[in-house]
Amino acid sequence: MAGILPVTDSRSSSHSKSSSTLETSRDQHNLPFLKEDSYTDTILVIEGRKLYTHRSLLGYASPYFTKLLNSAHSAALSEKKAKAELKIADKNYADFVDMFAFFHPGVCRELNDKMALRLLPLADEFQMAALKDRCERLLVNVLKKTPMVNRASKGPPTHKNRRDNTPEILLKCIKAADQGNSKVLLDQCIRMFSSPEIALKDLKASSEISDTTKSKIFETRMDAASNKLSRMANELDREKHEKEMLKKQLVDRFVPKNRSPRYNGSEPTVEQPRPFPVKLPAHKHHHYIAHQRSHRGMIKSDKGDL
């Protein structure tokens, strides 16, 4: 899968790389279900090619196959055939080879993200619960490690399985989750699609994703946007309240209580006129003082005449 780093089941990367190379070369010819042996009693035919197995292996792995094999073996007995043959229509032979490799006791194969994307819908259709759970856990782990913001990319990819195309990764995962009825993987994809950094253009144009899943993604994106606006509104109200409290504290601290400020932020106020001064006593009035001065002058002039 382009865009996803391969993830293996709790093994080191170097070990997984070397072991996967050995398995690839070995699996071409040595897979036990590619040829008939003494344990074979069931043959599956996919795209005209045969896989050889025992009914007990398929029965333990899948209750769906249990029903099919019961009827197939009943038909084989009535026709006096030693082996039951079961044809699987409209399926990919390579996908069935990978699926057989994960429940056959003679094969030890590591699961990667490419296989998980292909096998998840198949495991759900054929009711292979263990394989489905394994695919879900691996893909959810891949999504958790995927960056929410695309990394800058110049030119074609320089290495395989790069992780710089988050919308493409999400689309492939959500397609597998939709086709495989995987609620765990679908919830993780919807949670990531709720981020405004993820573009919805390719999702809208995709015809492989159901309208129900698309509507869930759009509703989640709208809910996330609404919650963000609500948080912003609450933050603005809190800042406004703090500003008003600070203003009140400044007024109480610097404006005397017996005097109103000239300007309190609304309308200017006119100061009250000062009261007329209280009437002075007669001996301090200016008419009395002038009369005393004139009287003293007259006394001085009379003494001079004498």
Side-chain angles (χ1 to χ4, degrees), residues 26-305:
R26 184 182 60 196
D27 288 353
Q28 299 297 327
H29 306 287
N30 296 333
L31 287 174
F33 46 81
L34 295 181
K35 56 187 177 181
E36 188 174 357
D37 56 23
S38 59
Y39 299 104
T40 301
D41 69 348
T42 303
I43 301 174
L44 269 66
V45 182
I46 306 101
E47 294 183 332
R49 304 172 70 177
K50 295 181 178 181
L51 295 176
Y52 305 90
T53 185
H54 193 276
R55 62 185 299 184
S56 62
L57 296 180
L58 287 173
Y60 282 125
S62 165
Y64 179 90
F65 274 116
T66 300
K67 297 178 181 178
L68 291 180
L69 292 174
N70 287 337
S71 59
H73 278 272
S74 298
L77 288 175
S78 62
E79 297 175 3
K80 297 182 179 180
K81 293 182 179 180
K83 298 176 179 63
E85 190 170 292
L86 184 63
K87 293 183 179 181
I88 308 296
D90 302 325
K91 297 302 175 184
N92 184 271
Y93 174 79
D95 291 344
F96 261 78
V97 170
D98 288 336
M99 185 177 69
F100 268 52
F102 287 105
F103 68 81
H104 197 286
V107 182
C108 180
R109 175 176 290 183
E110 295 176 357
L111 181 67
N112 60 36
D113 51 322
K114 293 180 181 180
M115 293 180 182
L117 286 169
R118 292 187 292 110
L119 295 181
L120 178 59
L122 204 62
D124 177 74
E125 181 179 354
F126 291 101
Q127 300 177 9
M128 294 185 172
L131 179 60
K132 180 179 178 180
D133 179 71
R134 195 172 173 184
C135 294
E136 288 175 336
R137 286 188 285 108
L138 187 141
L139 292 175
V140 168
N141 186 39
V142 168
L143 287 178
K144 289 181 178 179
K145 295 179 180 180
T146 301
M148 294 299 295
V149 180
N150 289 345
R151 299 175 182 175
S153 175
K154 296 182 180 179
T158 56
H159 56 85
K160 194 176 181 181
N161 296 330
R162 64 187 303 165
R163 292 176 55 191
D164 59 356
N165 195 346
T166 302
E168 181 182 353
I169 296 171
L170 282 173
L171 282 176
K172 291 184 177 181
C173 287
I174 205 167
K175 175 185 173 182
D178 202 17
Q179 295 177 350
N181 296 316
S182 174
K183 185 178 184 303
V184 176
L185 183 60
L186 186 63
D187 289 345
Q188 180 66 28
C189 292
I190 292 176
R191 193 178 302 113
M192 294 182 69
F193 261 119
S194 65
S195 172
E197 287 83 7
I198 305 299
L200 298 178
K201 180 180 178 181
D202 295 335
L203 176 68
K204 295 177 182 178
S206 176
S207 60
E208 298 176 326
I209 300 174
S210 66
D211 293 337
T212 303
T213 301
K214 289 181 181 180
S215 64
K216 289 180 180 179
I217 293 173
F218 297 149
E219 289 175 3
T220 305
R221 177 69 68 91
M222 292 178 64
D223 291 341
S226 177
N227 293 335
K228 184 177 181 180
L229 290 175
S230 298
R231 290 194 300 268
M232 293 176 63
N234 293 335
E235 185 68 18
L236 290 175
D237 291 339
R238 186 181 65 82
E239 292 181 358
K240 182 178 179 181
H241 177 70
E242 291 178 353
K243 183 178 179 180
E244 292 176 352
M245 292 297 295
L246 180 60
K247 180 179 177 181
K248 183 177 181 301
Q249 292 175 2
L250 292 174
V251 170
D252 294 342
R253 181 174 180 180
F254 294 105
V255 178
K257 294 182 179 180
N258 58 353
R259 181 180 176 185
S260 61
R262 295 179 60 87
Y263 179 69
N264 59 2
S266 55
E267 294 292 337
T269 58
V270 180
E271 293 185 352
Q272 296 294 332
R274 295 182 179 179
F276 192 83
V278 182
K279 185 176 181 181
L280 296 174
H283 64 279
K284 293 185 178 181
H285 201 273
H286 62 282
H287 295 292
Y288 175 78
I289 295 173
H291 175 71
Q292 291 293 331
R293 288 178 180 175
S294 62
H295 179 68
R296 291 172 185 170
M298 292 176 62
I299 295 176
K300 289 182 180 180
S301 61
D302 292 340
K303 290 182 178 179
D305 294 337

